[in-house]
Amino acid sequence: MSGGVDSAVAAARAVEAGHDVVGVHLALSRAGGTLRTGSRGCCTVEDAMDARRVADKIGIPFYVWDFSERFRDDVIDDFIAEYRAGRTPNPCMRCNEKIKFQALLERAIELGFDAICTGHYATLVEGEGGLELHRSSEEAKDQSYVLGVLTAEQLRHTMFPLGETPSKSIVRAEAAERGFSVAKKPDSYDICFIPDGDTRGYLAEKVGAEAGDIVDRSGGVIGSHEGAHAFTVGQRKGLSIGRPAPDGKPRFVLEIRPVSNEVVVGPKEALAVAEISGARYSWAGAAPAESEFACEVQIRAHADPVPAVAVVTDDVLVITPDEPLDGVATGQTAVVYAGTRVLGQCTIDRTVSAVPAAP
């Protein structure tokens, strides 16, 4: 129970379905004074109190479990290390993979529980090869992308009571009818351990800021920066190049090179990516029957899926979209689908540009 409206209604529905339910809130920070800033952040002291009030309302036991050490090691430290390596990680994916559906589930099973139940918008379908993870019925709220890291074993011990709910407004109305104080609570956003939203400032403190060069695709120096961590692939503003490009077109960040501390920029068309691949891949349920298969690939939580062909070769998942993807950074997660079904995912280790650099 995160303290939000979705997990509150999910818990209430689980109780009404006849399950023996215990509410658990995850304490992910040991900073006792941590408070929510508007709709920023989550898993704060305020959220824990909101979750407890809901648990009392529906009459279930409630506990706060301290996973702050695991969260620091598996999510925060990973986030910092990835940025040091010039990659753009997704900490929410890592939290689902390492904390919510691994550490939490492991402890729950040790204590004799059958499953964890969350307020995520996704559905589980019994298929020929076992349980399958599918998109929710409400496309705009669908959260199957961030659940793409779940394994077949984890799916067998998971419940999503909100998956078939047509809209978030229905969930809020149900919460109000049940008398939950969180019925109108805003959704959290941004990175939970950076509640003020200043990711650049956070990284400057944790990674360190060192001046370096901004270069074009041929290696020519065209400007300077005060810290490569402040840039992301696809960024246009804040480059401070100082002079127009020869073709008069704006320049975008194409690559971060941590070893040389360079930021590579180029024209917008150079953001097009013809191929992505990753060695850290997993299947959400039964693995595809063939090593090469047609699919759709999604590279951001709210991006449109793109038809593609995927192949597993030398223990690497290689994905070739039918049309180039725009502005893909290493460290992002690529989730592959077959229709509404989530097949699996990989952390992107390598991208191949659709527009080779001029010799």
Side-chain angles (χ1 to χ4, degrees), residues 97 105 124 152 216 310:
E97 177 187 12
L105 181 57
L124 294 173
D216 59 24

Side-chain angles (χ1 to χ4, degrees), residues 36 83 112 129 134 160 243 308:
R36 195 179 177 92
Y83 266 99
H134 285 253
F160 301 122
R243 64 179 186 274

Side-chain angles (χ1 to χ4, degrees), residues 26-49:
L26 303 184
L28 302 180
S29 171
R30 292 188 177 178
T34 301
L35 292 174
R36 195 179 177 92
T37 305
S39 59
R40 294 183 183 274
C42 67
C43 310
T44 64
V45 172
E46 178 185 327
D47 293 318
M49 293 187 293

Side-chain angles (χ1 to χ4, degrees), residues 3-355:
V5 64
D6 295 325
S7 58
V9 172
R13 290 184 180 183
V15 170
E16 290 186 350
H19 298 288
D20 184 7
V21 179
V22 171
V24 173
H25 179 82
L26 303 184
L28 302 180
S29 171
R30 292 188 177 178
T34 301
L35 292 174
R36 195 179 177 92
T37 305
S39 59
R40 294 183 183 274
C42 67
C43 310
T44 64
V45 172
E46 178 185 327
D47 293 318
M49 293 187 293
D50 286 340
R52 181 178 292 279
R53 281 189 283 268
V54 170
D56 290 343
K57 188 78 174 179
I58 59 182
I60 62 173
F62 178 80
Y63 300 95
V64 176
W65 287 358
D66 183 357
F67 281 97
S68 57
E69 189 172 335
R70 286 283 298 266
F71 186 77
R72 181 199 63 208
D73 294 344
D74 293 335
V75 180
I76 298 178
D77 288 353
D78 175 81
F79 178 82
I80 295 169
E82 287 288 88
Y83 266 99
R84 279 202 181 105
R87 295 153 65 92
T88 305
N90 185 326
C92 294
M93 301 290 289
R94 201 63 66 230
C95 183
N96 281 337
E97 177 187 12
K98 299 292 187 178
I99 306 299
K100 294 179 181 177
F101 294 92
Q102 181 174 324
L104 174 61
L105 181 57
E106 288 171 357
R107 182 176 294 184
I109 291 176
E110 287 175 359
L111 294 174
F113 294 99
D114 299 312
I116 58 173
C117 169
T118 78
H120 286 96
Y121 288 80
T123 57
L124 294 173
V125 176
E126 189 66 53
E128 293 182 3
L131 274 180
E132 298 174 353
L133 177 64
H134 285 253
R135 294 188 185 275
S136 72
S137 61
E138 186 200 1
E139 186 175 351
K141 183 61 180 177
D142 173 59
Q143 292 176 303
S144 61
Y145 172 85
V146 295
L147 298 171
V149 291
L150 271 62
T151 65
E153 179 63 20
Q154 290 166 340
L155 293 178
R156 285 193 285 270
H157 296 282
T158 303
M159 297 168 56
F160 301 122
L162 305 187
E164 298 292 346
T165 306
S167 73
K168 179 66 174 273
S169 60
I170 292 176
V171 172
R172 290 195 179 279
E174 181 177 333
E177 290 173 4
R178 293 180 183 275
F180 294 165
S181 60
V182 297
K184 294 183 179 180
K185 185 175 180 178
D187 293 339
S188 62
Y189 66 96
D190 285 335
I191 300 170
C192 66
F193 52 89
I194 312 177
D196 63 1
D198 184 13
T199 303
R200 180 177 296 188
Y202 178 89
L203 288 170
E205 177 185 348
K206 299 296 183 180
V207 177
E210 181 181 352
D213 293 329
I214 297 177
V215 301
D216 59 24
R217 299 184 83 192
S218 64
V221 177
I222 58 175
S224 63
H225 64 78
E226 296 182 357
H229 66 273
F231 298 89
T232 57
V233 171
Q235 179 177 332
R236 174 184 175 184
K237 295 182 178 179
L239 297 184
S240 302
I241 293 175
R243 64 179 186 274
D247 58 9
K249 296 180 180 179
R251 288 302 185 247
F252 297 78
V253 175
L254 305 180
E255 183 185 354
I256 314 295
R257 295 175 177 169
V259 175
S260 59
N261 195 28
E262 294 175 325
V263 175
V264 184
V265 300
K268 182 175 177 58
E269 55 266 27
L271 287 170
V273 169
E275 180 183 287
I276 57 178
S277 59
R280 292 179 291 174
Y281 67 89
S282 62
W283 305 118
E290 305 293 335
S291 61
E292 182 173 338
F293 53 92
C295 62
E296 296 86 43
V297 60
Q298 187 171 327
I299 58 169
R300 299 180 184 88
H302 304 294
D304 292 328
V306 175
V309 173
V311 59
V312 177
T313 176
D314 297 327
D315 287 330
V316 174
L317 180 61
V318 181
I319 303 167
T320 305
D322 290 0
E323 299 179 0
L325 301 171
D326 187 29
V328 185
T330 56
Q332 286 182 250
T333 301
V335 177
V336 290
Y337 291 79
T340 63
R341 181 189 171 190
V342 178
L343 295 176
Q345 61 81 39
C346 74
T347 299
I348 300 170
D349 295 323
R350 177 175 171 269
T351 64
V352 177
S353 175
V355 183

